[in-house]
Amino acid sequence: MASVENKIAVAACIVTYNNEDRIVPTVQSILAHTKGVQLELFIYDNASTDRTVAVVQENFHQVWLVRGKKNRGFGAGHNRVIPRLTSQYHVIINPDILLQSDAITAMVEYMEAHPDVCLAVPKFLNEDGTEQFCPKKQPTLRYMLGGHFEKYGGVFKRWRDAYTLRDQIIDKPIDVGFCGGCFMVIRTEVFRQLGGFDPRYFLYNEDADLTRSAAQLGRTVYVPDVSVVHLWERAYMKDKKHLWIQIQSMLKYFWKWRGK
């Protein structure tokens, strides 16, 4: 087994906001399974009002905990750790992700073998092992409508299937236009060069935006041989507050990339 000195330096960051019920199993799974790289784990808390910070302090002395004074949103929270990064690769991880294998090392090894790849994501699974079909193409209004109304079937489901490539059998890495932000691996120098996520997105679509920006510097790839469990709630489908945030982010995305 490689010594610590010979392992690739990898940083990972989880942005939390009122995640006291989920953060422990997420961090435990990361620390338990990540063995093949030298990992530095950051947790940036967006001013949680529950016991998230206390839970992290009580259970994980080996992580870097950074406390924000206000909730600045998903992307802005992740950007806060950029000045602290000394790694070769950076992993963006949601607090609703569980590792069942050394997915971080597997993704880094793939990118080491493919230096033209600057951003990559694994396959996302539900708790029962079935695949989550997350977007893999660049967003369009039609695709987003498909996501909201696929339960009605017909053309909406066809749009959603096309957006997520559900209508295809993918058994090897492919280039994609949308890398999901719940678990993505990016070269640290690329993340820094891009300035991280565009902070104008409070939540939603900042990952699609980052993918599109990163694609100007290298390939953005889906790696189906590697998987993580994502406890996906799709909150914007359940309440009006998150739906409105999602709509705002969608409008910002389309305005930013209009004509490009």
Side-chain angles (χ1 to χ4, degrees), residues 102-156:
D102 195 350
I104 291 177
T105 297
M107 293 296 292
V108 167
E109 288 178 345
Y110 173 80
M111 294 177 72
E112 282 285 286
H114 300 84
D116 56 338
V117 176
C118 68
L119 174 63
V121 289
K123 179 184 292 184
F124 300 118
L125 302 177
N126 297 303
E127 283 188 277
D128 62 4
T130 57
E131 182 176 353
Q132 280 177 10
F133 292 95
C134 301
K136 298 180 180 70
K137 291 185 178 181
Q138 287 182 359
T140 65
L141 180 59
R142 179 176 65 179
Y143 287 155
M144 289 188 168
L145 288 173
H148 282 289
F149 301 113
E150 64 176 317
K151 64 182 179 181
Y152 298 110
V155 67
F156 298 116

Side-chain angles (χ1 to χ4, degrees), residues 30-99:
I30 295 167
L31 297 178
H33 289 289
T34 307
K35 303 298 183 182
V37 297
Q38 185 178 347
L39 180 68
E40 185 176 33
L41 180 59
F42 294 88
I43 295 178
Y44 182 89
D45 185 75
N46 260 329
S48 291
T49 57
D50 66 358
R51 295 191 71 255
T52 298
V53 169
V55 167
V56 172
Q57 290 174 328
E58 292 166 4
N59 291 277
F60 304 110
H61 303 293
Q62 65 273 61
V63 308
W64 289 97
L65 174 63
V66 185
R67 301 176 64 174
K69 296 181 179 180
K70 61 182 295 186
N71 187 357
R72 301 178 182 276
F74 176 89
H78 277 288
N79 293 351
R80 288 284 172 161
V81 306
I82 292 176
R84 301 167 182 255
L85 300 181
T86 59
S87 59
Q88 294 170 254
Y89 293 90
H90 187 61
V91 191
I92 288 97
I93 306 176
N94 265 21
D96 58 359
I97 288 289
L98 297 175
L99 300 194

Side-chain angles (χ1 to χ4, degrees), residues 13 15-16 44 46 71-82 90 92 94 181 184 191 195-207 209-210 249:
C13 181
V15 169
T16 55
Y44 182 89
N46 260 329
N71 187 357
R72 301 178 182 276
F74 176 89
H78 277 288
N79 293 351
R80 288 284 172 161
V81 306
I82 292 176
H90 187 61
I92 288 97
N94 265 21
M184 57 165 57
F191 194 50
F197 290 100
D198 187 333
R200 287 176 291 184
Y201 301 92
F202 181 80
L203 187 65
Y204 304 123
N205 286 100
E206 67 284 299
D207 45 2
D209 180 86
L210 183 71
S249 293

